[in-house]
Amino acid sequence: VTLPIILPGVITGVALASFFLFTNTDLSMRTVIIGHTTFCIVVIYNNVVARLRRTQASLVEASMDLGADGWQTFRFVTLPVISTALVGGALLAFALSLDEVIVTTFTAGAQNTLPIWILGNLRLGQQLPQVNVVVFFVIVATILPVTIAQRLTRDTGVLRRT
């Protein structure tokens, strides 16, 4: 499960591109999404596993002792415990996805995604004001969910219901 994050982006990109070409799948936005999912899911998985390892097993046992079935235990005990790990992993995956230009280059085909556009325009240097504006909005789009998540969790580490 953790292999995609351990491998360099070039190897992951080449492996995904060769897989898509082997299965006669046209390189498109769908293949970009599949490619990014393969290495972003690892970040979320690692966050959730780390949180579950720190969680006391007695919470689940107490829930079961009080008559909750498996679904109720997951919904009322496990999910609130791992909710911040899910949010944190999703935010990290979002940032990693924007940063992973190599995998995008190998899986995009003729598609022009935002990271490829930014990299291309930075390299050419002709549209720097437009790139600056786009990057500003990307930074705002990254900071906004982090701020909201921080406000929802405060110091408790558990999402609050408002």
Side-chain angles (χ1 to χ4, degrees):
V1 173
T2 59
L3 189 62
I5 199 113
I6 296 169
L7 291 175
V10 173
I11 294 174
T12 303
V14 168
L16 287 167
S18 65
F19 172 75
F20 293 137
L21 294 175
F22 177 76
T23 58
N24 293 326
T25 304
D26 293 331
L27 298 178
S28 63
M29 194 57 70
R30 186 179 67 150
T31 58
V32 171
I33 291 170
I34 292 169
H36 282 242
T37 302
T38 59
F39 66 83
C40 286
I41 198 86
V42 176
V43 175
I44 299 169
Y45 172 80
N46 285 337
N47 278 353
V48 170
V49 166
R51 180 64 53 89
L52 287 174
R53 286 184 181 150
R54 289 187 303 173
T55 303
Q56 298 174 356
S58 61
L59 291 174
V60 174
E61 293 171 4
S63 174
M64 295 292 198
D65 285 344
L66 292 170
D69 60 7
W71 173 248
Q72 289 174 326
T73 300
F74 175 77
R75 184 172 166 218
F76 295 116
V77 177
T78 307
L79 188 60
V81 168
I82 66 170
S83 61
T84 55
L86 289 171
V87 171
L91 292 172
L92 286 170
F94 174 72
L96 181 64
S97 179
L98 283 175
D99 187 47
E100 193 60 57
V101 178
I102 297 171
V103 173
T104 306
T105 303
F106 281 107
T107 58
Q111 298 291 320
N112 194 14
T113 63
L114 183 63
I116 291 174
W117 181 85
I118 291 172
L119 181 65
N121 284 317
L122 281 176
R123 196 171 13 166
L124 296 175
Q126 295 173 348
Q127 297 180 342
L128 289 180
Q130 291 90 341
V131 172
N132 289 338
V133 170
V134 169
V135 169
F136 172 77
F137 283 112
V138 168
I139 290 171
V140 168
T142 304
I143 290 174
L144 192 63
V146 171
T147 305
I148 291 170
Q150 192 275 333
R151 286 203 170 264
L152 286 175
T153 58
R154 300 281 178 180
D155 296 328
T156 62
V158 177
L159 286 177
R160 296 179 182 188
R161 295 181 193 257
T162 55

